[in-house]
Every structure is written in C-alpha cells, then in structure tokens.
Amino acid sequence: STYLQIAELYAEANKPDLAIQWAKDGIEAFSEYRDVRLRQFLIDQYKKQKRFDDAITIAWTMFTEAPRLDNYQ
C-alpha cells in the first residue's frame, strides 16, 4: 500500500510519469500478491494519458489471472 500512497501523491502533484513509475515498481516488487489497487490505479493513469493500449494490457492480465465478471468489466 505504500507504493500506492506514493503514486497517488505524485498523481495529486500533477506528476503522472512518477505516479505511473511508482505503481509499476510496486506491481513488480510484489508481483506474487497481485495488488488490484495498484493495477487499477495504473489503468486509471494510463486512461488519463490516453494510453489505452497500456490500460487494456493490464486489464487483460488481471482478467486472465482471475477470470471473474468484475475483472472482465
């Protein structure tokens, strides 16, 4: 959750590149936990930057790891 908190602070400070990097670092550092909050944050940041392919890639990964309705939506 610390990675998410730092990423959110960077997003609030209008530093989206640093926010994205912290979210990605957190996902990588704790890949075995599959933190949905970090991934959703990253998807939201990518959508704000109109990086839809990157957002879809993460969303699809979430779905393939846990094929549930909420991940599909």
Side-chain angles (χ1 to χ4, degrees):
S1 68
T2 303
Y3 279 92
L4 178 59
Q5 290 172 342
I6 294 170
E8 289 172 335
L9 288 173
Y10 276 123
E12 290 172 13
N14 200 27
K15 296 184 178 192
D17 292 336
L18 288 171
I20 288 171
Q21 190 58 53
W22 273 92
K24 288 170 62 175
D25 289 348
I27 291 168
E28 183 178 327
F30 297 98
S31 60
E32 68 275 8
Y33 295 110
R34 298 180 183 154
D35 191 337
V36 174
R37 297 169 303 152
L38 268 174
R39 290 179 178 188
Q40 190 58 56
F41 174 85
L42 192 52
I43 288 169
D44 293 341
Q45 292 301 305
Y46 282 149
K47 287 176 10 183
K48 286 179 184 176
Q49 291 189 348
K50 300 187 184 337
R51 293 173 59 180
F52 300 114
D53 288 342
D54 292 326
I56 289 170
T57 298
I58 294 169
W60 184 253
T61 299
M62 289 172 60
F63 177 70
T64 59
E65 290 175 352
R68 301 185 319 251
L69 179 60
D70 60 327
N71 284 342
Y72 177 77
Q73 293 171 331

